[in-house]
Each structure stands twice: as structure tokens, then as C-alpha cells.
Amino acid sequence: IDAAVDYLISNAHSSSVGSCAMYVRQALEAGGFSTDGRPASACDYDTYLESRGFHKVSNDNYEPRKGDIVVHEATEGHPYGHIAMYSGTQWISDFVQRDMFGGQSYRDAQNYTIWRQY
């Protein structure tokens, strides 16, 4: 988890470059996680992460932990969804986010899952 988070912190931009899935995938790889068979779209990482041993975390009274991954479903105007990882202090995808949503569209939709590797 530390190596994955370090990768994200070192490579994050100040605003989105439209490559959240690639950055989170590269962070997972930097942390030693094999991403063979990975999906192309961020919104498809929910079923992928589950198939790779990650467990869904309840949104009720959620307290983020370092290494948690949020997957947002596609919304109008954002057909690929969004994905980000928690660094222990902030949510990061291809940029340092102000919260776990990464944009107003996802904040409004509230259609996401949190994943954690135990």
C-alpha cells in the first residue's frame, strides 16, 4: 500500500488529466499488485477489484483507510466513471482531489463503492 500511495503522490497533477484509471492502475502495479485482465474504464474496476480479492466497504459511517479505492459509476457526460485511492490524508487519482468524489457530477450522483484489500 505504501508503494502504491507513494506512486500516486509523486505523479499526481494539480487538476485532472483525464487518466484516473491509468494512474490508479500504475499505483497498484507500483505496489506489487498484478493488474492482468484489468478493465479500460474506471467504472468497471468495481467488479475487477472484487475478483482480485478486494472487499466492499460499507458507505455507512465510512472512515477512510490508506489504500482504500473508490469507484464511481458512469454519469451523464462521464461515461467511464472515476476511480481514486486514499493516501492516508487525501484522495488521489490522476490529481489531488478535494474529496473522494473528484468532481461535482460524482458528488451529485452518490453512486460509488469503496474497496479495501485485507
Side-chain angles (χ1 to χ4, degrees):
I1 292 173
D2 290 336
V5 166
D6 289 347
Y7 177 90
L8 277 179
I9 291 169
S10 296
N11 291 281
H13 299 267
S14 58
S15 61
S16 177
V17 295
S19 299
C20 60
M22 181 181 80
Y23 278 67
V24 172
R25 172 186 55 83
Q26 290 174 341
L28 289 168
E29 292 168 350
F33 184 81
S34 171
T35 60
D36 291 344
R38 68 188 177 270
S41 296
C43 61
D44 295 330
Y45 268 81
D46 51 3
T47 53
Y48 175 74
L49 289 172
E50 185 172 35
S51 75
R52 303 299 295 222
F54 283 72
H55 301 277
K56 188 186 293 188
V57 177
S58 173
N59 297 352
D60 297 333
N61 301 313
Y62 172 67
E63 293 288 333
R65 288 190 197 167
K66 187 176 189 178
D68 284 357
I69 297 175
V70 62
V71 176
H72 295 277
E73 295 305 316
T75 64
E76 188 173 334
H78 301 279
Y80 305 111
H82 184 63
I83 187 170
M85 181 183 284
Y86 190 66
S87 73
T89 59
Q90 57 199 352
W91 288 95
I92 304 174
S93 54
D94 53 345
F95 71 106
V96 177
Q97 303 178 179
R98 72 176 180 146
D99 59 19
M100 70 184 280
F101 298 102
Q104 192 61 46
S105 153
Y106 302 111
R107 200 171 293 110
D108 292 343
Q110 295 285 314
N111 190 6
Y112 64 91
T113 51
I114 306 286
W115 298 93
R116 183 176 290 156
Q117 188 177 27
Y118 292 103

